[in-house]
């Protein structure tokens, strides 16, 4: 229920943004996030962004996961 | 690589716990239970450390009275009812919201409350959203109410989670430390836990996160440090999401509300403030609720969901577990929700 996933903001049409979750795009509410910009990452829970997430950390995570996936192939 | 990190952390936990008294650590989120059971992390714990599951599943802690009230509403009023998927499967006297849907009632499952708002905009009927969830979810309900759609109402079963931690501390089960819920903490921030005098770690949901949290808790327990550590810094700040807190507190006030298993928890109920009562289903449909009476479900007498939520027993100790009560035929909500401890143990083989 309290699940939340990280996605990248692709476009903003306040109070909505289109967020890309590794290829799956979803329109989410962004009212509760201050000063959100295209290209930033957000944590999304039940259709609304609950927090901005540090881009460098997300990119590092993505890199780790890509390495894991590649090592399985 | 990941298993190496996890095993290294297991060794560190073992070393840190060596020679100390028996300790109990409770996690407070269904997703943490999923991680612990999925990766069989309990098997990596030292013998003197017990990892308990707490009341961290918002579907599970909602008492039957709330569910009965919603059933009463859809049986007696011509409304469209929206809610999240797991809630629609929770049974009472053998009926669930899906049962009412099969009988022709308009019950719609939504991913987000904003989908419910869209349904309301297209409908000429009153649309009532059965609102569940802790501080993670409450701000979205508050925003939906503030949108001011005239045929949209909320039946609030929201609970503030932080008061439940204090409540657990006064219960008859001695807990030595908590793994605090990651996404509730995203909203409330580290500061919300600072006055709770017990070792706590706010943790993320990867197995490495949980293992690191346990390691830090064992160190804190050993050193008598009643502090809050934030292991989930990639999502949780000291202040939390202040805007979300403001919106939530604008719409909801706190009341002493009942939780399954825990009983009445002081200041934990998310009651819609009088200022927004025109969106409060309890107020708008008060005539319908005037003849509502709470009953007991005899089918649930043997269900020990409440004891599982308090960490008093593990699912295997319930006489119904994986017999009459299983994920396809759940008796209690802990077996319904994918975040319920019984459901997780049944699907993933907890022990």
């Amino acid at each position: 229920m309290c699940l939340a996933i990280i996605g990248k903001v692709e476009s903003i049409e306040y109070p909505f943004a289109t967020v890309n979750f590794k290829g799956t795009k979803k329109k989410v509410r962004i009212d509760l996030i201050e000063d959100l910009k295209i290209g930033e990452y957000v944590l999304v829970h039940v259709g609304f962004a609950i927090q901005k997430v540090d881009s460098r950390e997300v990119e590092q995570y993505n890199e780790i996961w890509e390495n894991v996936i590649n090592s399985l192939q | 690589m990941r298993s190496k990190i996890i095993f290294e952390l297991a060794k560190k936990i073992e070393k840190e716990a060596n020679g100390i008294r028996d300790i109990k650590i409770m996690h407070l989120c269904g997703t943490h239970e999923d991680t612990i059971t999925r990766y069989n992390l309990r098997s990596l714990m030292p013998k003197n450390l017990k990892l308990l599951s707490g009341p961290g599943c918002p579907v599970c802690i909602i008492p039957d009275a709330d569910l009965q009230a919603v059933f009463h509403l859809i049986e007696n009023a011509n409304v469209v009812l929206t809610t999240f998927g797991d809630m629609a499967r929770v049974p009472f006297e053998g009926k669930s919201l899906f049962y009412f849907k099969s009988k022709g009632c308009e019950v719609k499952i939504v991913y987000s409350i904003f989908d419910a708002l869209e349904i309301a905009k297209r409908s000429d009927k009153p649309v009532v959203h059965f609102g569940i969830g802790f501080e993670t979810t409450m701000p979205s309900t508050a925003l939906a109410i503030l949108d001011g759609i005239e045929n949209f109402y909320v039946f609030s079963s929201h609970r503030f989670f932080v008061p439940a931690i204090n409540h657990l501390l006064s219960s008859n089960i001695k807990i030595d430390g908590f793994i605090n819920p990651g996404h509730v903490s995203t909203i409330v921030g580290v500061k919300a836990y600072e006055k709770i005098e017990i070792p706590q770690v706010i943790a993320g949901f990867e197995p490495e996160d949980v293992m690191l949290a346990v390691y830090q808790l064992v160190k804190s327990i050993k050193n008598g440090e009643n502090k809050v550590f934030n292991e989930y810094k990639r999502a949780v700040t000291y202040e939390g999401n202040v805007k979300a807190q403001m919106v939530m507190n604008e719409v909801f006030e706190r009341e002493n509300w009942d939780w399954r298993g825990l009983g009445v928890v002081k200041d934990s109920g998310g009651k819609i403030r009088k200022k927004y009562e025109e969106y409060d289903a309890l107020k708008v449909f008060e005539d319908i609720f005037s003849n509502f009476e709470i009953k007991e479900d005899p089918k649930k007498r043997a269900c020990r969901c409440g004891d599982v939520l308090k960490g008093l027993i593990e699912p295997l100790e319930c006489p119904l577990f994986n017999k009459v009560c299983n994920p396809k035929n759940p008796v209690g909500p802990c077996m319904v929700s994918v975040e319920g401890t019984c459901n997780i143990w049944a699907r993933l083989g907890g022990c």
Side-chain angles (χ1 to χ4, degrees):
Chain A
M1 181 65 220
C2 293
L3 271 176
I5 49 173
I6 294 170
K8 190 174 190 175
V9 177
E10 283 203 342
S11 62
I12 294 174
E13 208 171 314
Y14 197 84
F16 293 98
T18 300
V19 178
N20 188 335
F21 303 94
K22 286 213 162 274
T24 301
K25 294 179 185 182
K26 184 97 189 145
K27 199 170 153 188
V28 305
R29 287 279 290 251
I30 55 167
D31 315 35
L32 303 180
I33 306 294
E34 299 277 8
D35 193 27
L36 185 64
K37 295 183 186 72
I38 291 169
E40 289 188 310
Y41 289 89
V42 281
L43 195 57
V44 177
H45 165 71
V46 295
F48 87 113
I50 57 173
Q51 191 65 273
K52 256 199 244 188
V53 186
D54 187 286
S55 304
R56 282 168 305 172
E57 285 209 28
V58 176
E59 277 153 18
Q60 277 171 4
Y61 253 74
N62 287 345
E63 203 178 311
I64 290 167
W65 277 110
E66 273 162 26
N67 288 339
V68 170
I69 290 161
N70 290 337
S71 71
L72 295 174
Q73 284 169 352
Chain B
M1 182 61 191
R2 298 190 79 194
S3 59
K4 194 180 165 196
I5 295 169
I6 292 165
F7 280 121
E8 283 302 319
L9 283 164
K11 277 189 217 163
K12 282 183 177 291
I13 293 167
E14 177 95 46
K15 195 177 164 193
E16 206 63 42
N18 188 26
I20 65 169
R21 62 182 170 85
D22 289 357
I23 56 172
K24 285 177 181 157
I25 289 172
M26 180 180 269
H27 73 73
L28 300 165
C29 179
T31 314
H32 280 142
E33 181 57 38
D34 189 287
T35 302
I36 289 164
T37 304
R38 189 177 294 275
Y39 293 92
N40 203 8
L41 300 184
R42 285 193 178 89
S43 70
L44 301 175
M45 296 298 146
K47 283 197 175 72
N48 58 339
L49 193 161
K50 188 126 177 128
L51 207 45
L52 304 173
S53 175
C57 159
V59 171
C60 306
I61 59 91
I62 291 176
D64 281 343
D66 291 31
L67 193 62
Q68 289 175 68
V70 171
F71 287 3
H72 182 81
L73 178 67
I74 57 173
E75 278 181 303
N76 294 286
N78 186 19
V79 299
V80 177
L81 188 98
T82 62
T83 194
F84 300 127
D86 276 354
M87 203 60 231
R89 293 183 60 227
V90 180
F92 183 80
E93 291 183 323
K95 295 173 184 171
S96 67
L97 288 172
F98 276 134
Y99 165 86
F100 287 102
K101 188 177 171 74
S102 75
K103 293 292 172 194
C105 294
E106 280 199 71
V107 175
K108 294 184 188 291
I109 306 306
V110 290
Y111 157 71
S112 161
I113 195 168
F114 305 116
D115 297 336
L117 280 184
E118 291 305 312
I119 291 168
K121 285 176 194 168
R122 292 194 303 267
S123 178
D124 49 16
K125 280 186 178 181
V127 173
V128 178
H129 183 73
F130 186 7
I132 62 159
F134 303 132
E135 288 91 332
T136 328
T137 319
M138 289 169 83
S140 63
T141 303
L143 271 184
I145 287 174
L146 290 172
D147 274 3
I149 306 296
E150 64 175 18
N151 62 332
F152 178 76
Y153 313 97
V154 172
F155 182 96
S156 175
S157 277
H158 287 293
R159 261 72 175 170
F160 289 95
F161 193 79
V162 179
I165 304 179
N166 277 318
H167 186 90
L168 282 164
L169 283 177
S170 61
S171 73
N172 51 359
I173 179 159
K174 170 88 180 73
I175 300 158
D176 297 290
F178 287 112
I179 301 176
N180 288 355
H183 292 141
V184 166
S185 306
T186 301
I187 302 295
V188 302
V190 178
K191 67 173 183 185
Y193 307 107
E194 281 183 333
K195 287 185 182 160
I196 304 173
E197 291 192 357
I198 188 166
Q200 301 159 75
V201 176
I202 299 165
F205 301 98
E206 299 299 332
E208 296 91 332
D209 290 319
V210 175
M211 292 298 281
L212 196 55
V214 172
Y215 171 66
Q216 181 55 57
L217 282 169
V218 175
K219 273 182 78 170
S220 296
I221 294 163
K222 204 170 148 182
N223 299 331
E225 278 183 308
N226 289 338
K227 278 170 125 179
V228 194
F229 285 89
N230 182 13
E231 187 278 337
Y232 196 30
K233 284 188 177 158
R234 57 191 187 272
V236 178
T237 62
Y238 178 76
E239 292 289 338
N241 185 330
V242 176
K243 207 168 173 186
Q245 291 164 25
M246 282 168 65
V247 165
M248 181 167 69
N249 292 326
E250 166 68 21
V251 172
F252 295 102
E253 61 184 328
R254 293 164 189 262
E255 273 200 340
N256 303 340
W257 278 12
D258 194 26
W259 293 45
R260 186 186 304 275
L262 270 59
V264 174
V265 178
K266 191 171 179 284
D267 294 335
S268 69
K271 181 182 161 50
I272 297 169
R273 288 186 189 276
K274 194 168 173 49
K275 187 177 171 186
Y276 299 102
E277 68 180 14
E278 63 192 291
Y279 303 104
D280 185 351
L282 271 178
K283 180 72 186 169
V284 174
F285 299 98
E286 64 184 348
D287 288 352
I288 283 166
F289 289 117
S290 64
N291 63 347
F292 165 63
E293 282 175 20
I294 298 169
K295 290 184 284 181
E296 188 205 0
D297 183 354
K299 287 184 179 174
K300 285 188 182 165
R301 276 184 196 144
C303 168
R304 297 194 63 192
C305 193
D307 290 337
V308 171
L309 290 165
K310 279 188 285 192
L312 276 177
I313 65 160
E314 290 179 335
L316 295 174
E317 294 169 73
C318 174
L320 309 184
F321 179 75
N322 251 359
K323 296 183 182 94
V324 292
C325 181
N326 55 66
K328 283 194 174 165
N329 182 32
V331 174
C334 298
M335 186 59 91
V336 173
S337 173
V338 290
E339 293 208 352
T341 301
C342 298
N343 180 290
I344 293 167
W345 281 46
R347 279 186 295 114
L348 303 174
C351 58

